[in-house]
Amino acid sequence: MSKADMPEDIRRNINEAVFTAGGVAPLAKIAGVSPRTVYAWKKGDRSPTLATYGKLTALLQARTARNILAIVGADAVEETPGAYRPSAPGAFGECMSVPFYEDEEDGGAIRFARRAPLYGSRPPEALRFVRMRGRSMEPTLRHNDLCLMDTADRVLEEDAIYVVRHGAEIYIRRYCPTPGRLRFMGDNRSLTHGDFDLPEADDGLWRIVGRVFWLGRSV
């Protein structure tokens, strides 16, 4: 497979995984391959197997989880399967698991210390993680940014960011009301084709899923 044939997201994730692991050799050890194989991935001469790519993805997801802890000031984080649930007190105090939104590819949940000041007075059982896809909200949100939303907060407030669903499609947009319209716009004004209006009366097609109130970003 040539470099031009390898999907952009796979090339990007390989390079990010090398950086996260601390170099080619450490990543090779994690993936169970030779350093020469990792170099071939980086050049696009070879492509990782599905099982090996799963290891790289898990490494990047673990880094995302650690970044959340660095921001919220909690003591431990763990990705777990299943929906929200409080856990028993342990070495780090009482923890809570917040799942990804049901349609996210990530699945599972992220567990962090319940005392973390991440969500304030918001009901923890209403929290869901959702990942930004695409460039429509740049520079506020970038592709793959991790967002935390409150599914109980669906009262529209001007200039706030919401997750909106239309059938199987999910959008993250800013609410910008105009006379007679419920207008949702992206922050990237070079991609205005992603803007849309919602009918003021519920037509059963569009649904406000929740309000985004926090984002995490890997740098």
Side-chain angles (χ1 to χ4, degrees):
M1 175 183 291
S2 67
K3 187 172 183 179
D5 294 331
M6 183 180 291
E8 178 62 31
D9 59 336
I10 294 181
R11 292 204 304 268
R12 181 176 59 250
N13 286 347
I14 288 173
N15 287 320
E16 288 184 0
V18 170
F19 175 81
T20 299
V24 169
L27 181 62
K29 184 175 181 180
I30 292 172
V33 299
S34 69
R36 179 174 295 183
T37 298
V38 176
Y39 279 118
W41 293 344
K42 287 172 60 64
K43 292 172 61 180
D45 295 337
R46 295 179 60 182
S47 181
T49 65
L50 184 61
T52 303
Y53 187 64
K55 294 180 181 180
L56 306 186
T57 302
L59 175 67
L60 294 175
Q61 289 177 340
R63 181 186 65 174
T64 298
R66 289 195 297 271
N67 285 350
I68 292 172
L69 266 296
I71 294 172
V72 304
D75 297 313
V77 69
E78 177 184 3
E79 293 191 54
T80 61
Y84 160 81
R85 65 181 187 279
S87 59
F92 305 104
E94 186 180 5
C95 295
M96 57 182 287
S97 294
V98 175
F100 284 85
Y101 185 54
E102 59 181 352
D103 297 300
E104 279 293 307
E105 295 176 357
D106 302 84
I110 292 179
R111 186 167 72 99
F112 52 87
R114 192 177 179 88
R115 67 176 179 271
L118 178 62
Y119 54 91
S121 60
R122 297 176 183 272
E125 65 276 6
L127 304 184
R128 294 293 184 275
F129 281 108
V130 63
R131 199 174 297 278
M132 179 68 201
R133 304 298 186 188
R135 301 177 50 238
S136 61
M137 286 298 294
E138 291 180 351
T140 308
L141 299 174
R142 297 202 301 254
H143 179 67
N144 267 343
D145 279 352
L146 190 64
C147 305
L148 187 57
M149 70 169 168
D150 181 356
T151 61
D153 188 353
R154 296 190 294 271
V155 177
L156 296 179
E157 181 178 328
E158 184 172 359
D159 208 38
I161 297 175
Y162 295 87
V163 176
V164 183
R165 181 169 181 166
H166 183 265
E169 298 296 324
I170 298 172
Y171 305 89
I172 300 178
R173 295 291 188 274
R174 188 179 302 278
Y175 176 53
C176 304
T178 56
R181 295 187 294 176
L182 303 179
R183 188 142 181 84
F184 289 82
M185 304 170 62
D187 288 357
N188 187 342
R189 302 318 298 151
S190 68
L191 300 175
T192 55
H193 61 272
D195 300 345
F196 54 85
D197 297 328
L198 264 64
E200 291 188 330
D202 183 10
D203 63 357
L205 298 177
W206 292 91
R207 181 163 65 91
I208 307 297
V209 178
R211 178 174 177 173
V212 173
F213 65 93
W214 178 91
L215 72 92
R217 175 172 298 163
S218 297
V219 295

